[in-house]
Amino acid sequence: MRATPSRVLLPALLVCGLTTRLAGWLLRVFDLANVVILFVFAVVLVALRWGSAAGALSALLGVVSFDFFFVPPVYSFHLSDTQYLFTLVLTLVVAVVTGQLAARLREQTASAQAGERHASALATVAGELSAAHTTVQVGVVCARTVGALFGGEGVLLLPDRAGHIGVGAHGIDREVAQWVHERCRPAAAMDVLAGVPWHCLPLMAAHTSRGVLALRGDRLSTAEIEPRSLLDACAALIGQALDRIHFADLAREAEVRMQGERLRHALLAAVSHDLRTPLTAIRGMAETLDSPRALQADVAAGVIRSIRQQAVALHHLVTNLLDLARMQDRGVHLQRDWHALDEVIEAALSGAMSSLGTRRVEVQVEAGLPLVELDACLFERVLANLLDNAAKYTPPDTRIWISAGQRAGVLQLRVEDDGPGLPREIPCEAWFTPFTRGARESPISGAGLGLALCHTIVEAHGGRIAVVPRASGGACFELRLPQRAAPVVEKEGIA
């Protein structure tokens, strides 16, 4: 800030008057040579507080005052001894030099403090921008943090896909903001609503503009260098943050496309085999029935039964595929209600009886198990898929156990068998990934979607499903669902 004449003259006159008054009191005790240093000390104080110009003026006024009031003959500028002239000149030189040194120390201190404020403000802005992962969060940082640094308001203006800057509800001149974005040069834009200027800066990153930072504030109206340099540094940080978010979005889009391609290839590979197999079987058996050669009744019944089984397997595969795609796209919408778990298990067993064949299923539900809150239809799908999985990969004489209990507000349900078990080379968590199968080429139909669908439904209920090692061999799937206290069912009175 530039020193005005009043800011230099008034402090110098005031301090010189006080020093002269204090020197008059001290002369009652000390000699004249000992009092002159008081004026030099006053010059140092003035220079430290008000700068070099005020210090130089204070030095000149102090020497004049010392000569007029204390050097004989007093109250005049005549010197009775020429030695006093040397003393006054030397005092003036020492006072001026000392004042200049003090003023320089003051400027260096102020510069260091300004640098510290600058670094602290930039660290705050950089910290908040590093935590921003979207352009909306960057806009919040501009409005809340950057705007507060300059005592006003900050607005982030971003271009659309066509490169046009939108100003939204703000009264910023859109043409000026567009010019700043295209030319990559700062400019002042008038607020057409409030009639105040906005300072618009391009947000540069990698030699291109990512948007415009518009600011208006009290500190920006001054001619100080510090706010301008701080503003440029903030604009550079915001431009880098927008550039980082831009490339992060591109990376996510590329990852989504890659995952989509992998999913498409996996889907085509799985479906092309698992759809063609039952369709080929159905076609062959249908051609057998259509043959003019007469078939025995029991043979024809077996063929019809095989067609029905292949059609059920095909329907199960397509249903799992469509349901999994719908849940991954739109999410799982649960119709929660309170149900008795044994009834849900019984319904799932009824639907899986045809695929279980001669396998013996034992159900062990803990006595006194309260009602559980779940979507019965979807949970039946989970149990049906687990039972269908066990029926596919176990011999006909396999035993299957379904056990359920509750521990500390958590429902624990297990579906296990004494079949050959799961391949050890596949990690436990990988079984719930779509299209994961024990063997890529297998005569057993299926696309590896059943367990993935179970995982999605159980997670939607807030629970988890996991593969649990079984000491005696076989496979074991454990479900854990958090449960609230069941409502009290009032018994109906006898009329």
Side-chain angles (χ1 to χ4, degrees):
M1 182 177 296
R2 187 173 304 222
T4 60
S6 60
R7 292 178 60 89
V8 173
L9 180 61
L10 292 179
L13 288 174
L14 181 60
V15 173
C16 183
L18 293 176
T19 305
T20 302
R21 186 65 179 271
L22 182 59
W25 289 340
L26 293 178
L27 282 176
R28 301 175 183 177
V29 182
F30 300 102
D31 293 335
L32 185 61
N34 297 326
V35 176
V36 70
I37 196 63
L38 183 63
F39 288 90
V40 178
F41 179 68
V43 171
V44 173
L45 294 181
V46 171
L48 285 174
R49 179 62 182 84
W50 288 284
S52 58
L57 182 59
S58 178
L60 179 60
L61 292 176
V63 170
V64 171
S65 178
F66 182 76
D67 179 26
F68 186 79
F69 290 103
F70 303 114
V71 176
V74 296
Y75 305 117
S76 70
F77 293 105
H78 297 286
L79 301 177
S80 60
D81 191 344
T82 55
Q83 293 182 359
Y84 285 117
L85 179 61
F86 175 76
T87 301
L88 294 177
V89 172
L90 185 60
T91 301
L92 178 62
V93 172
V94 171
V96 170
V97 173
T98 306
Q100 292 294 326
L101 293 176
R104 184 176 300 176
L105 177 62
R106 171 181 175 270
E107 293 174 357
Q108 291 176 352
T109 302
S111 177
Q113 292 175 348
E116 182 181 359
R117 291 193 302 269
H118 192 146
S120 177
L122 285 180
T124 301
V125 174
E128 295 191 9
L129 288 175
S130 65
H133 301 290
T134 63
T135 55
V136 175
Q137 294 174 335
V138 175
V140 172
V141 175
C142 294
R144 182 182 59 193
T145 305
V146 179
L149 285 178
F150 300 95
E153 183 180 1
V155 177
L156 177 64
L157 306 177
L158 296 176
D160 56 17
R161 292 186 177 274
H164 299 147
I165 292 291
V167 297
H170 303 281
I172 306 171
D173 191 335
R174 195 191 68 83
E175 293 183 359
V176 176
Q178 185 69 35
W179 184 88
V180 171
H181 174 63
E182 293 177 353
R183 301 294 181 88
C184 300
R185 294 175 59 186
M190 187 61 63
D191 191 328
V192 296
L193 300 177
V196 295
W198 288 81
H199 298 269
C200 297
L201 288 88
L203 301 175
M204 301 299 299
H207 306 291
T208 185
S209 174
R210 295 293 180 192
V212 174
L213 174 63
L215 280 172
R216 62 178 179 184
D218 298 334
R219 294 186 61 193
L220 292 173
S221 60
T222 64
E224 294 184 12
I225 297 178
E226 178 194 347
R228 305 289 176 169
S229 60
L230 179 60
L231 179 58
D232 293 338
C234 289
L237 289 176
I238 297 171
Q240 293 173 5
L242 292 175
D243 200 45
R244 169 177 56 82
I245 292 173
H246 171 72
F247 286 109
D249 291 340
L250 292 180
R252 280 193 294 269
E253 292 177 2
E255 180 66 22
V256 169
R257 287 195 296 270
M258 291 174 60
Q259 290 180 355
E261 282 296 313
R262 286 197 294 266
L263 186 63
R264 186 174 67 87
H265 287 303
L267 177 62
L268 290 177
V271 171
S272 62
H273 173 268
D274 292 301
L275 287 181
R276 186 167 56 244
T277 300
L279 287 175
T280 302
I282 291 173
R283 179 181 176 180
M285 288 182 286
E287 290 177 352
T288 301
L289 291 177
D290 194 41
S291 173
R293 184 177 53 186
L295 296 176
Q296 296 180 1
D298 56 343
V299 175
V303 172
I304 294 173
R305 185 167 52 254
S306 298
I307 291 176
R308 183 169 57 250
Q309 291 175 350
Q310 293 292 339
V312 169
L314 184 61
H315 178 268
H316 186 72
L317 172 63
V318 174
T319 301
N320 279 342
L321 180 62
L322 295 178
D323 286 347
L324 184 62
R326 176 180 54 83
M327 290 180 183
Q328 290 182 343
D329 183 37
R330 305 176 186 175
V332 184
H333 301 285
L334 300 178
Q335 301 293 330
R336 289 179 179 265
D337 204 351
W338 295 97
H339 299 275
L341 185 61
D342 52 355
E343 295 179 358
V344 177
I345 296 175
E346 183 179 353
L349 280 172
S350 300
M353 288 303 279
S354 59
S355 61
L356 288 173
T358 59
R359 296 168 184 81
R360 188 170 59 179
V361 181
E362 297 182 10
V363 179
Q364 299 174 353
V365 178
E366 185 180 280
L369 187 68
L371 300 178
V372 293
E373 188 183 23
L374 44 77
D375 188 319
C377 293
L378 290 180
F379 205 76
E380 287 176 17
R381 290 288 304 280
V382 172
L383 295 177
N385 280 342
L386 293 177
L387 292 172
D388 182 70
N389 208 58
K392 286 180 180 178
Y393 298 99
T394 58
D397 59 345
T398 301
R399 297 175 62 188
I400 300 174
W401 294 272
I402 301 177
S403 58
Q406 192 171 23
R407 302 289 183 275
V410 177
L411 173 66
Q412 297 179 355
L413 189 146
R414 285 192 173 191
V415 178
E416 48 190 321
D417 59 65
D418 58 357
L422 302 174
R424 297 182 179 274
E425 63 271 12
I426 299 179
C428 294
E429 61 274 7
W431 287 106
F432 305 103
T433 304
F435 308 111
T436 298
R437 301 186 65 191
R440 292 187 178 273
E441 297 294 336
S442 172
I444 302 174
S445 63
L449 298 175
L451 293 180
L453 189 62
C454 293
H455 182 267
T456 302
I457 295 174
V458 173
E459 277 201 338
H461 281 82
R464 57 182 295 270
I465 181 172
V467 177
V468 178
R470 197 169 184 269
S472 58
C476 177
F477 293 92
E478 182 181 74
L479 288 75
R480 290 174 173 263
L481 295 179
Q483 290 297 311
R484 297 189 298 117
V488 178
V489 180
E490 298 182 358
K491 295 182 179 181
E492 295 182 0
I494 300 176

